[in-house]
Amino acid sequence: MTATTANAPGKDQPAEEPRKPDDPFDRDVLPTPPGATAALLRSLLAPMKARVAVTTLLLLLQQAAVQTGPLLVAYAIDSAVPAFRRDDLGPLIAVGVGYLLCALASGVLQYAFILLSARVSQDVLLDLRGRIFRHAQALSVDFHERYTSGRLISRSTTDVESLRELLEEGLQELVTVILSFVYISAMLLWLDLGLGAVAVASFVPLYLLVRLYRRRAARVYTLRSTAIAAVIVKFVETMNGIRPVRAFRREAVNDADFRVLNSRHERNNGDALLEMARYVVGSRLVANTAVAGIVLWGAYRVAGGTLALGVLAAAVLYLRRLYDPIDRLGMFLNSYQSAAASLEKIAGLLAQTPSVPEPSQPRQLPAPESEHPGREVVFDGVRFGYRTGGEVLPRFDLTLPAGQTVAVVGSTGAGKSTLAKLLARFYDPSEGRVLLDGVDLRELAVPELRRGVVMVTQEAFVFSGTVAENIAIGRPDATHEEIEQAAKAIGAHDFITSLPDGYDTDVRKRGGRISAGQRQLVAFARALLADPAVLILDEATSSLDIPGERAVQRAMSTVLHGRTAVVIAHRLSTVEIADRVLVMEHGRIVEDGTPAELIAGTGRFADLHQAWRDSLA
Ligand SMILES: Nc1ncnc2c1ncn2[C@@H]1O[C@H](COP(=O)(O)OP(=O)(O)O)[C@@H](O)[C@H]1O
Ligand SMILES: [Mg+2]
């Protein structure tokens, strides 16, 4: 019954919807739901609430210790020095000791603060990197087809790095600046209401300046981080496709593209620095005007006897401390801006949900009826189109009885691979269901699905690690004998033993490089070892030479025996091992029958087969 609701039209994106003119994947930032960025930050900091509280307390105490200094100077000038003139050494000694204690306390507190805050930020970043990796890995194939690996790399390097800068340097800076503003204003007002009021009044133009800068910097920094991401994306994509780049002499074009992106980044960087320079000049102007005003007015009052000299000295010391960190506040705002932009991008990525979600109430496959591993496959009214294109399978019904080997032929673009990918649940149909022994793939527990359906494609991938490990991905608990058996069954044993370290050869190290055809053999052995109920071979022998393909084919009858198999063939020789042949055109099955029936008939397959026979003669 869940299946019928899942079947309801309109629940998923209708397949025929044209490509939206503003595809969010064309931009660097995916739409971030409102509040997602703040929620991400909260969830990152939540587990370390206690430690954040302690670090804040340390900073509070440290600031208190630091900001007592000028007060002691005022006391020394106005009370301790006159007392010393009266031969009373006590107050001066007290001031000296007090100053020393404050310095000592602030040093110790600062040390503890740095240690603790570094640990907090390290933990946050560790958590965040892990989340990005896990989430990206869990997202569906169609996400990765549109969001490039370059962008993912940029998310987990540049963006995490800018967050690190904020956490390790910027945040401390901000809290220190705010704290010292509060402390110092309070001290100044307490020392002398008039002078304090002038200092506090200077906050107004400073605040306006900061606000202006923030607005302008936000724009520049977003541009800048988009620009650096574009540089990384271009870099990664070019190097990933280095073979076609070489083959088609794309170097010059790529160089030109890269130069444009690189200089755009440089320009944005220059703009950012310019904004920064304007801010620094502006804030110094305000600060120095305020200091000059206070010193002049203070000196006038000291001369008139309405202000103690020590108070003026303390006020000037405080003012320097007050305005000094303002330059750094600009720096902090910079790192805040880039970190906010980065965090928004990361939040946008983390907010993506898999378009092929795991079932909330997973179902198990029924117990097998015979000792054969094969299971029945049904495409029930399936319609499907890729998000970025038109409909590929208009309406597809197909039943493959358990244990049948089906060859699928048809011209390029007919939808054969799409059929295979739907069966492996890389995508979900927009309408209809794909059933494995009566269970909708959408309801099937993920491990069951991965064990049940295995696909070998032409782009056989090997992971870093040894050949044996690569084969064992199909079944991690396999023994060495089982691995070797699988390799032997598929005809890969001979080439593997001729590698420098045999099965223990590292495929990414020197000497371990294996050819495309050999990679396919490894992928075959991997699939065989996984022992799936349904095996899909999508042009999986395309990189093998004719003898290699023959060897695989001989092995195939044993490998496929009892299994349900979908063999997408690019050479008709493969068809010989099939119980049934499907000819596909434009997402539809146009012929369906045993190889003998179709060859005897007058359809497309008969023509294809005749042409193939002729080519062999
Ligand atoms: N990832 C994809 N995104 C968008 N369109 C795709 C994608 N893969 C295939 N297509 C389109 O779907 C159609 C069928 O492709 P495919 O199933 O790969 O054909 P075949 O394997 O029979 O050559 C083609 O028109 C192709 O352009
Ligand atoms: Mg294909």
Side-chain angles (χ1 to χ4, degrees):
M1 50 181 263
T2 331
T4 26
T5 38
N7 209 359
K11 193 167 173 264
D12 292 312
Q13 282 241 336
E16 51 277 274
E17 192 183 71
R19 183 179 178 170
K20 286 190 222 96
D22 185 26
D23 187 347
F25 282 83
D26 289 343
R27 282 181 275 125
D28 202 45
V29 192
L30 292 171
T32 312
T37 311
L40 173 62
L41 196 61
R42 268 201 307 278
S43 80
L44 285 169
L45 290 175
M48 19 211 118
K49 252 187 216 141
R51 280 191 287 167
V52 171
V54 173
T55 39
T56 314
L57 184 70
L58 285 174
L59 209 55
L60 268 167
L61 293 174
Q62 190 256 347
Q63 276 299 306
V66 168
Q67 305 302 2
T68 316
L71 218 55
L72 291 170
V73 171
Y75 178 75
I77 293 176
D78 292 339
S79 312
V81 171
F84 181 60
R85 288 211 180 99
R86 295 191 305 272
D87 283 339
D88 180 5
L89 203 60
L92 208 55
I93 290 175
V95 167
V97 171
Y99 207 95
L100 209 65
L101 283 179
C102 281
L104 211 65
S106 106
V108 169
L109 289 165
Q110 176 104 24
Y111 178 78
F113 169 83
I114 289 174
L115 281 190
L116 199 57
S117 67
R119 285 246 293 278
V120 168
S121 70
Q122 286 307 319
D123 287 354
V124 166
L125 297 174
L126 188 84
D127 182 10
L128 190 62
R129 270 200 205 94
R131 284 194 206 192
I132 294 174
F133 183 80
R134 279 194 305 276
H135 194 81
Q137 195 176 229
L139 285 172
S140 314
V141 174
D142 76 323
F143 170 84
H144 290 280
E145 281 169 354
R146 301 199 288 158
Y147 200 76
T148 55
S149 59
R151 285 192 187 146
L152 280 177
I153 291 174
S154 159
R155 287 305 82 82
S156 56
T157 54
T158 328
D159 289 332
V160 171
E161 177 62 16
S162 74
L163 205 63
R164 186 196 64 77
E165 272 174 29
L166 173 73
L167 287 175
E168 284 182 1
E169 292 145 33
L171 214 53
Q172 178 203 354
E173 206 68 58
L174 175 77
V175 180
T176 312
V177 170
I178 292 177
L179 277 180
S180 61
F181 267 44
V182 173
Y183 268 117
I184 292 173
S185 314
M187 289 293 186
L188 282 172
L189 287 168
W190 178 69
L191 279 174
D192 184 90
L193 211 57
L195 294 186
V198 174
V200 170
S202 76
F203 291 176
V204 176
L206 280 177
Y207 170 74
L208 293 177
L209 207 65
V210 166
R211 238 185 48 170
L212 183 70
Y213 173 71
R214 257 199 69 169
R215 236 198 342 259
R216 300 177 69 124
R219 195 179 50 80
V220 177
Y221 271 81
T222 312
L223 285 177
R224 195 181 75 153
S225 74
T226 312
I228 186 65
V231 168
I232 294 178
V233 168
K234 181 74 195 168
F235 199 98
V236 170
E237 270 164 18
T238 306
M239 299 314 154
N240 272 348
I242 192 69
R243 287 183 188 86
V245 165
R246 279 283 150 71
F248 291 95
R249 309 259 175 283
R250 290 273 301 175
E251 292 94 334
V253 181
N254 283 338
D255 265 354
D257 288 353
F258 192 77
R259 214 170 302 133
V260 169
L261 293 174
N262 212 8
S263 60
R264 193 179 77 192
H265 174 236
E266 195 198 0
R267 220 169 29 247
N268 292 141
N269 228 350
D271 289 349
L273 285 174
L274 194 66
E275 289 300 333
M276 177 76 189
R278 286 182 183 149
Y279 166 76
V280 168
V281 169
S283 66
R284 288 208 180 143
L285 203 65
V286 173
N288 288 330
T289 310
V291 172
I294 287 175
V295 168
L296 277 176
W297 186 41
Y300 174 76
R301 280 176 52 200
V302 170
T306 55
L307 186 70
L309 183 62
V311 171
L312 181 60
V316 171
L317 282 176
Y318 272 132
L319 285 174
R320 274 204 48 199
R321 290 184 177 196
L322 185 64
Y323 295 126
D324 257 5
I326 287 178
D327 287 1
R328 300 207 305 273
L329 187 64
M331 300 271 269
F332 159 74
L333 286 173
N334 285 348
S335 68
Y336 173 82
Q337 297 293 1
S338 22
S342 292
L343 200 64
E344 191 190 339
K345 286 188 216 159
I346 294 173
L349 171 65
L350 293 181
Q352 290 291 307
T353 49
S355 59
V356 179
E358 289 191 23
S360 49
Q361 284 167 323
R363 283 177 57 186
Q364 305 290 314
L365 286 170
E369 281 168 16
S370 66
E371 78 249 46
H372 290 313
R375 289 182 186 272
E376 183 200 53
V377 169
V378 174
F379 282 76
D380 173 21
V382 167
R383 295 179 66 175
F384 178 75
Y386 293 95
R387 264 200 242 191
T388 51
E391 193 156 71
V392 177
L393 300 182
R395 188 188 157 89
F396 201 84
D397 288 290
L398 175 67
T399 303
L400 308 178
Q404 192 173 62
T405 298
V406 186
V408 183
V409 298
S411 43
T412 305
K416 307 181 296 292
S417 297
T418 306
L419 181 74
K421 288 187 278 188
L422 284 168
L423 181 51
R425 207 185 171 215
F426 285 7
Y427 308 92
D428 279 336
S430 38
E431 250 180 62
R433 307 175 296 166
V434 182
L435 307 164
L436 187 62
D437 262 1
V439 181
D440 191 333
L441 293 187
R442 278 180 279 228
E443 295 177 72
L444 199 58
V446 177
E448 284 251 291
L449 176 65
R450 292 288 156 250
R451 265 200 313 275
V453 184
V454 166
M455 173 148 104
V456 182
T457 64
Q458 50 189 331
E459 65 249 4
F461 189 83
V462 291
F463 299 89
S464 48
T466 67
V467 176
E469 281 164 359
N470 261 288
I471 296 176
I473 286 169
R475 184 143 53 88
D477 57 348
T479 64
H480 198 83
E481 277 63 51
E482 288 171 318
I483 292 173
E484 224 176 278
Q485 244 168 29
K488 275 184 182 148
I490 215 73
H493 180 73
D494 288 345
F495 104 78
I496 296 173
T497 45
S498 70
L499 292 171
D501 298 317
Y503 280 85
D504 297 324
T505 309
D506 194 317
V507 291
R508 289 283 163 100
K509 292 236 174 81
R510 238 169 39 158
R513 291 273 169 194
I514 59 178
S515 75
Q518 291 167 336
R519 280 206 304 274
Q520 281 191 339
L521 290 177
V522 169
F524 264 117
R526 181 190 291 160
L528 178 59
L529 193 62
D531 192 25
V534 179
L535 184 62
I536 308 165
L537 307 176
D538 187 358
E539 306 197 351
T541 51
S542 58
S543 299
L544 298 180
D545 52 12
I546 305 270
E549 193 179 29
R550 282 267 157 220
V552 168
Q553 249 166 51
R554 272 195 302 277
M556 210 66 93
S557 43
T558 6
V559 172
L560 300 186
H561 183 70
R563 262 178 246 288
T564 312
V566 177
V567 183
I568 298 171
H570 73 297
R571 282 186 209 138
L572 286 191
S573 53
T574 323
V575 170
E576 286 167 8
I577 54 165
D579 305 318
R580 179 180 175 189
V581 176
L582 301 174
V583 182
M584 256 184 107
E585 279 320 317
H586 304 296
R588 289 174 211 277
I589 293 171
V590 293
E591 283 171 48
D592 180 356
T594 64
E597 277 168 18
L598 293 190
I599 292 167
T602 54
R604 265 196 57 111
F605 187 73
D607 292 347
L608 280 174
H609 195 262
Q610 190 53 50
W612 175 66
R613 288 241 79 113
D614 292 347
S615 74
L616 287 185

